[in-house]
């Protein structure tokens, strides 16, 4: 590390207590969907203190809602602002987006928490609470990195655009609106909880329903009916085969340690309404993983065609086809070419900070990187301090050490990237 | 037929319009569970007109509720009276119970009815409406048979006890309470809708739940969880095998034309709560058929032991056994010895009225015959005018011809039975 890098890392180490304080303040705000405003107010104040140029707005409008990648369960985003805040460069360098979402998933069953989810405590070097890992800890890493760059009076050429967005947990409308508002850059980094691994690729996903038909009859003469539950078992076995076919195609070494790179999960089943009747309708609901290099439409098409083959195995399905519907949330996949400068810069910075080679993997879940790449054509990468396994779970936490280390990596990375000339090849 | 028999049959033919009228009045009262009083008032008036000795009471009390065969969804039977009404014999003869239930199942989806379910119309020789076949038509046959015997001044030795009971569709508490009140006899006949077939044996049934456990995980890493839906598929296949084992034991010729004499029906499945999560709990609900010669407890025991074997096929079940629960309604099975005098008398009467040999079968569903036989030790048989296939269905109907013919068979049968000396061997 050079003197400048050392100064930044030193500053971050010296200000660890401020990072913890900021994280605690953010986690104290239960910023579940529709309740993001008070957490955004804290972000805003921090951006102001750092001296960033601030844009704050409520997503919405026809352009957003008619966009092919728009999905939301909400009809409007009133009182759920997005924030973009810029650390201006001197010009001529590559620009960079630091993107993090402010929304958190609900705390779930309180019985399963050992601590209050929205009263974040620092214990044994970890901060506990809903959203610590996913991903307010990552947001704090970004803000601290920006502050370190600013306080150390380090010069950059390209701008760094910090984004605190809504709706990531519900389909990415916040990030999509930031893109539509014109917030673009030459690259984006998203500190989702990767356990300090680097994810140049991410799995996408879509929700689906399969409606399976049967024929009702009295249970005492069940042979006069056709059980939709039994037919649903055939459908599920068939979907298992499709999952195998789809995963056999995946040869990317980034998935080498993943048992099923793009799973198809059946998460819910409901069928029948009376113990003594043969059930005539079952609904399966699930999540279909999408490979980094796949288009959503081609995945839908493949599953549709695969389900149609059921008619060949069982004539029942010829007359009563299983109905496939795509509904609800979807997350776009993402991939970077293996030799992209973004990866190289991030790996270098990671090694400088930790002295170790980073672990590179493809993630088993989607992030806003898919949206940024698909809707904004911005190369995106995911790397963050959170603990993957605790995200969306009771007793979510994040090690403070990770938050600071990720901040160092991101600051050093930003210096490298934003000092590279705009025209320089990726 | 002798003169006396001819006179009775003639009287019934001449009074067909009165049978239709009575049936219509009964069907006009939607006597679903808890709403039986107005239909019972019509029964009561008819019994009074015939000149029967009437007992009317509301079931209840500790003896009923603590009985091992008691089951009901109700906490009390206020305003839901039972009726027993006696045509007294001269003494010394075998007594007979004519048992019919006054409760009907709800009309269900009105969209599927071509006619109003509780405005019974006579069309093309059929009366249409909820409860026509199951079993107000059968009740009318009994009342008309009693009236014919009475009007024709035919002498009998044993008493005929007509019963109009509640709760058959919900577990048999009405008939159980009639037994506990002391209404006993040497035989019982129940005119449930058998399509004019004779059922000396009936399948019983019980409802069960199986709770299947899994382990939750995110759908993107579904291999870290255990799908309760997949485990439920194993449980269902295992139950299918149990059904085969149980049915392979049935060699009774009365079941010769029945594909699966005692089916196990899975009627309902619910599991999981989120498309993107591996489901950790599935509940199967079903109906287990009970053979005429089986005890409920031994069937429960067999299923419990069979489910425990799952641990041998999949160690998951050793640590997370599928939990079997018996709940809700149950109907006791019933069987008569093939050479019982009751069968012989009924077959003879059927042949005298129709000139044909009756079809003998074992029914695929339970009736109060199971309760009468188990709780009252009274030999019971089922034979009635209703159309099996329309019971519990939209557009339920009954042919008037069947109602009159069943009345003739029952009247002639009652004469034979009640003139047999009390001591005469079955």
């Amino acid at each position: 590390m050079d003197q400048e890098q050392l100064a930044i890392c030193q500053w971050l180490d010296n200000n660890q207590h401020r990072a913890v304080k900021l994280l605690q303040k953010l986690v104290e705000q239960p910023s579940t969907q529709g309740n993001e405003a008070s957490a955004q107010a804290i972000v805003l104040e921090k951006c102001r203190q750092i001296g960033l140029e601030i844009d704050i707005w409520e997503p919405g409008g026809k352009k957003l809602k008619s966009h092919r990648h728009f999905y939301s369960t909400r009809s409007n985003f009133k009182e759920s602002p997005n924030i973009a805040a810029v650390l201006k460069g001197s010009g001529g360098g590559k620009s960079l987006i630091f993107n993090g979402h402010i929304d958190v998933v609900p705390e779930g069953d309180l019985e399963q928490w050992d601590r209050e989810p929205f009263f974040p405590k620092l214990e044994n070097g970890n901060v506990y609470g809903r959203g610590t890992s996913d991903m307010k800890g990552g947001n704090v890493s970004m803000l601290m990195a920006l502050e370190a760059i600013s306080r150390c009076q380090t010069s950059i050429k390209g701008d760094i655009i910090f984004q605190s967005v809504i709706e990531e947990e519900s389909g990415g409308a916040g990030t999509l609106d930031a893109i539509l508002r014109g917030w673009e850059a030459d690259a984006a980094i998203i500190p989702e909880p990767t356990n300090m691994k680097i994810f140049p690729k991410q799995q996408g996903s879509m929700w689906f329903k399969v409606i399976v038909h049967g024929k009702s009859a009295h249970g005492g003469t069940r042979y006069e009916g056709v059980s939709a539950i039994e037919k649903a078992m055939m459908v599920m076995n068939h979907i298992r085969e499709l999952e195998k076919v789809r995963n056999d195609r995946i040869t990317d070494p980034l998935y080498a340690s993943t048992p099923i790179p793009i799973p198809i999960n059946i998460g819910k089943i409901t069928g029948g309404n009376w113990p003594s009747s043969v059930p005539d309708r079952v609904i399966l609901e699930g999540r279909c993983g999408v490979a980094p290099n796949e288009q959503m439409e081609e995945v839908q098409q493949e599953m549709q065609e695969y389900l149609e083959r059921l008619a060949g195995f069982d004539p029942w399905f010829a007359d009563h086809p299983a109905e496939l519907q795509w509904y609800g949330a979807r997350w776009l996949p993402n991939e970077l070419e293996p030799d992209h400068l973004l990866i190289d810069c991030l790996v270098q910075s990671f090694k400088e900070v930790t002295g170790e080679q980073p672990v590179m993997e493809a993630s088993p879940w989607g992030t806003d990187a898919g949206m940024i790449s698909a809707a904004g054509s911005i190369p995106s990468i995911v790397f963050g301090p959170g603990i993957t396994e605790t995200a969306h779970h009771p007793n979510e936490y994040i090690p403070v050490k990770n938050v600071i280390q990720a901040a160092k990596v991101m600051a050093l990375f930003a210096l490298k990237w934003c000092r590279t000339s705009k025209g320089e090849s990726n």
Side-chain angles (χ1 to χ4, degrees), chain A residues 6 43 61 66 78 96 112 118 146 164-165 193 207 234 251 266 290 295 341 350 355:
Chain A
L6 278 173
V43 171
S66 62
K78 291 262 175 263
L96 177 64
Q112 296 186 45
F118 297 111
L146 281 167
S164 179
V165 299
W207 285 1
M234 285 191 65
T251 53
I266 306 288
V290 177
Q295 295 297 314
L341 180 63
F350 184 93

Side-chain angles (χ1 to χ4, degrees), chain A residues 16-284:
Chain A
Q16 178 173 309
H17 63 287
R18 294 181 57 227
V20 170
K21 196 85 195 159
L22 177 60
L23 177 56
Q24 286 174 315
K25 280 175 71 180
L26 285 172
V27 174
E28 276 166 12
Q29 309 305 320
S31 54
T32 50
Q33 192 189 33
N35 305 299
E36 308 87 346
S38 58
Q40 291 290 56
I42 292 163
V43 171
L44 194 69
E45 175 58 16
K46 183 71 187 174
C47 291
R48 201 192 55 72
Q49 284 171 10
I50 301 173
L52 306 179
E53 284 181 17
I54 296 170
D55 180 20
I56 177 164
W57 78 100
E58 284 170 357
K62 209 160 139 187
K63 204 167 156 193
L64 175 67
K65 291 192 177 172
S66 62
H67 195 282
R68 62 189 283 259
H69 292 314
F70 175 76
Y71 170 78
S72 179
T73 53
R74 300 172 69 175
S75 60
N76 69 68
F77 302 97
K78 291 262 175 263
E79 297 185 44
S80 295
N82 262 351
I83 293 171
V86 187
L87 183 67
K88 291 295 286 184
S90 57
K94 288 184 188 296
S95 59
L96 177 64
I97 287 174
F98 273 177
N99 174 289
H101 65 85
I102 196 69
D103 54 315
V104 297
V105 294
E107 66 277 21
D109 181 8
L110 273 178
E111 296 274 318
Q112 296 186 45
W113 283 82
D114 299 329
R115 298 166 182 81
E116 294 281 340
F118 297 111
F119 287 88
K121 288 257 175 67
L122 173 65
E123 285 179 52
N124 312 317
N126 300 321
V127 179
Y128 291 82
R130 170 57 80 230
T132 45
S133 265
D134 189 9
M135 59 173 285
K136 289 173 175 173
N139 295 346
V140 168
S141 296
M142 290 191 288
L143 287 164
M144 294 305 288
L146 281 167
E147 190 169 8
I149 292 171
S150 176
R151 295 283 176 263
C152 297
Q153 297 176 323
T154 321
S155 68
I156 49 171
K157 291 198 290 179
D159 296 345
I160 304 175
I161 303 148
F162 168 78
Q163 298 179 338
S164 179
V165 299
I166 63 168
E167 289 288 300
E168 191 277 341
E169 297 290 0
S170 313
T175 284
L176 175 58
D177 202 63
I179 294 162
L180 296 178
R181 196 170 170 89
W183 287 112
E184 293 183 348
D186 297 309
I189 180 165
I190 303 187
E192 288 270 12
T194 68
N195 292 353
M196 303 294 281
K197 295 175 187 173
I198 293 174
F199 290 172
K201 302 191 182 187
Q202 295 100 43
Q203 187 190 128
S205 65
M206 290 182 280
W207 285 1
F208 63 89
K209 267 185 204 177
V210 184
I211 301 167
V212 185
H213 299 280
K215 183 177 159 233
S216 191
H218 188 274
T221 51
R222 72 164 187 81
Y223 39 84
E224 291 173 356
V226 174
S227 166
I229 298 179
E230 288 179 18
K231 295 301 174 190
M233 282 168 55
M234 285 191 65
V235 171
M236 293 202 305
N237 285 327
H238 197 63
I239 288 175
R240 253 319 136 263
E241 281 169 32
L242 172 63
E243 182 191 57
K244 185 167 181 337
V245 168
R246 285 176 52 69
N247 281 276
D248 283 351
R249 288 199 295 251
I250 309 265
T251 53
D252 191 323
L254 287 178
Y255 278 115
S257 64
T258 309
I260 308 171
I262 46 170
I264 306 181
N265 182 65
I266 306 288
K268 198 171 165 186
I269 186 168
T270 42
N273 47 31
W274 197 245
S276 292
S277 295
V278 175
D280 63 356
R281 187 182 161 94
V282 166
I283 300 176
L284 302 170

Side-chain angles (χ1 to χ4, degrees), chain A residues 302-321:
Chain A
E302 183 177 30
M303 193 161 176
Q304 178 65 41
E305 284 168 9
Y306 209 82
L307 286 179
E308 282 166 13
R309 289 196 211 167
L310 279 164
F313 301 114
D314 181 343
W316 175 260
F317 289 105
D319 296 327
H320 310 84

